[in-house]
Amino acid sequence: AQSVTQLDSQVPVFEEAPVELRCNYSSSVSVYLFWYVQYPNQGLQLLLKYLSGSTLVKGINGFEAEFNKSQTSFHLRKPSVHISDTAEYFCAVSDGGTGANNLFFGTGTRLTVIP
Amino acid sequence: ETGVTQSPTHLIKTRGQQVTLRCSSQSGHNTVSWYQQALGQGPQFIFQYYREEENGRGNFPPRFSGLQFPNYSSELNVNALELDDSALYLCASTPRGLNTEAFFGQGTRLTVV
């Protein structure tokens, strides 16, 4: 069975400050890991994904994440946030067999960027 | 824009009624998955359709059912609606031969009263 824990439900941060959104997962098989962003009244947009290879993954809008197998973590980071980054962020996991067709999501982290 | 379109965008139904939600997948995508996102929660996997057959299901009762058509569009049907079925229903499609990214539609907001 797979599960995802997002440790922070809300993260307020000042504009141009760095941010880290934490994600831990559990799985008994090899996994694919994803971060999605959801703006108000919108669907989900993929920020980045880890499939294999380099543990540091770069995504859109200046975000990056690092896969740490020993700590079963996949934390999302951005060195300098902008007002437009205010949104809900979801970490998700799937097993390598089903891929992105069957995702298990965390409960989300609300990032609020303060001017 | 992802190209995955869902209809309707909003819907209000009465407890006990039945509802059908629709999804047009992006061109070239042959796998469609449906998710339920309750308020303040992450999306939960309902089921997936591939080549017009159900190909994986989450922990949802049989009153949640679906269809996929030859053009890969899909429907989600929910019978005997309950108040707890109120949620945002998201459809996601995945490209043929590449299952490493799901493209989501904007969702249908269902309210059961």
Side-chain angles (χ1 to χ4, degrees), chain A residues 32 34 36 38 41-46 49 51 88 90 96-108, chain B residues 2 31 33 35 37 40-45 47-48 88 90 94 98-107 109:
Chain A
Y32 292 164
F34 305 82
Y36 281 86
Q38 186 175 38
N41 300 314
Q42 299 286 318
L44 301 172
Q45 180 183 9
L46 180 68
K49 59 187 176 185
L51 307 177
E88 191 85 21
F90 292 96
T98 61
N101 299 324
N102 179 354
L103 297 168
F104 292 87
F105 286 87
T107 53
Chain B
T2 66
T31 302
S33 300
Y35 293 81
Q37 185 180 14
Q41 300 294 316
Q44 290 193 45
F45 175 71
F47 45 54
Q48 171 199 134
L88 181 68
L90 295 164
T94 309
L98 179 68
N99 68 348
T100 59
E101 182 168 349
F103 294 81
F104 283 82
Q106 293 194 325
R109 172 74 62 188

Side-chain angles (χ1 to χ4, degrees), chain A:
Chain A
Q2 298 158 73
S3 66
V4 173
T5 300
Q6 292 185 243
L7 299 164
D8 306 296
S9 60
Q10 297 187 58
V11 174
V13 62
F14 286 103
E15 191 175 14
E16 297 184 3
V19 69
E20 178 180 81
L21 306 183
R22 296 181 292 169
C23 172
N24 286 88
Y25 70 92
S26 66
S27 175
S28 58
V29 299
S30 62
V31 296
Y32 292 164
L33 292 158
F34 305 82
W35 275 98
Y36 281 86
V37 61
Q38 186 175 38
Y39 299 102
N41 300 314
Q42 299 286 318
L44 301 172
Q45 180 183 9
L46 180 68
L47 280 176
L48 48 78
K49 59 187 176 185
Y50 171 79
L51 307 177
S52 64
S54 173
T55 57
L56 182 63
V57 180
K58 293 189 182 297
I60 63 171
N61 301 340
F63 284 94
E64 64 181 33
E66 185 157 17
F67 170 60
N68 188 319
K69 187 174 182 179
S70 63
Q71 297 186 7
T72 61
S73 68
F74 189 56
H75 300 333
L76 181 71
R77 302 185 183 100
K78 186 170 182 177
S80 176
V81 296
H82 189 268
I83 294 291
S84 60
D85 293 324
T86 294
E88 191 85 21
Y89 291 79
F90 292 96
C91 181
V93 64
S94 73
D95 68 52
T98 61
N101 299 324
N102 179 354
L103 297 168
F104 292 87
F105 286 87
T107 53
T109 297
R110 162 72 59 179
L111 173 64
T112 301
V113 180
I114 305 164

Side-chain angles (χ1 to χ4, degrees), chain B residues 24-86:
Chain B
S24 293
S25 60
Q26 193 164 335
S27 177
H29 293 196
N30 62 354
T31 302
V32 174
S33 300
W34 285 91
Y35 293 81
Q36 181 195 64
Q37 185 180 14
L39 198 61
Q41 300 294 316
Q44 290 193 45
F45 175 71
I46 303 175
F47 45 54
Q48 171 199 134
Y49 277 82
Y50 173 67
R51 291 186 175 180
E52 303 178 51
E53 292 191 1
E54 188 177 292
N55 185 38
R57 189 179 183 93
N59 188 27
F60 280 81
R63 58 189 185 84
F64 285 78
S65 63
L67 285 173
Q68 186 180 33
F69 301 98
N71 65 355
Y72 305 129
S73 65
S74 178
E75 287 182 355
L76 165 65
N77 299 290
V78 187
N79 293 322
L81 283 167
E82 301 177 359
L83 297 180
D84 285 349
D85 295 333
S86 295

